[in-house]
Amino acid sequence: MNYLTYHDLEKEDKHGFTAGDKSLTEESLVVREMVVPGMFDYPDMYVRHIYLTFRTQQYLIISMTDYELDEAKKLEICTGAGKFLKERSERN
């Protein structure tokens, strides 16, 4: 399975998508869904998994945000991932 990472972290000023270098396999290590407690003036980080099918390919989106995702934000991330993947495929 292919994967993308989505960041929306205010303090780190890290926003947007990054494509994975390789496909995930059964032996790949993936951060599990969790809330990582904030430390040293950093807020909690929410790690969530979202699944997306784009042009018959399955993708795991690993989101890392400093807020909990609601359904509207999950949809927004999926829409953004589709645009990201489309632009990426047009460049190649």
Side-chain angles (χ1 to χ4, degrees):
M1 178 183 294
N2 300 307
Y3 72 97
L4 300 173
T5 305
Y6 173 77
H7 290 97
D8 193 11
L9 301 167
E10 191 66 35
K11 188 156 182 143
E12 291 86 354
D13 195 26
K14 195 169 188 178
H15 310 280
F17 292 94
T18 308
D21 294 335
K22 301 176 183 178
S23 292
L24 297 175
T25 67
E26 290 180 8
E27 297 172 1
S28 298
L29 295 175
V30 177
V31 175
R32 67 183 171 98
E33 288 192 311
M34 69 173 102
V35 178
V36 180
M39 296 179 172
F40 308 108
D41 294 328
Y42 282 86
D44 293 349
M45 181 170 54
Y46 296 81
V47 178
R48 298 292 179 236
H49 296 169
I50 304 169
Y51 294 89
L52 172 73
T53 302
F54 178 78
R55 296 186 180 167
T56 71
Q57 294 288 316
Q58 294 234 345
Y59 287 85
L60 168 63
I61 303 169
I62 303 166
S63 72
M64 297 179 198
T65 61
D66 49 18
Y67 52 86
E68 185 63 87
L69 301 180
D70 59 15
E71 292 305 313
K73 186 62 179 182
K74 288 178 186 177
L75 182 58
E76 181 183 320
I77 291 170
C78 287
T79 301
K83 289 178 185 176
F84 175 82
L85 292 168
K86 183 176 184 248
E87 290 171 5
R88 192 167 177 251
S89 68
E90 289 171 353
R91 281 184 263 146
N92 295 332

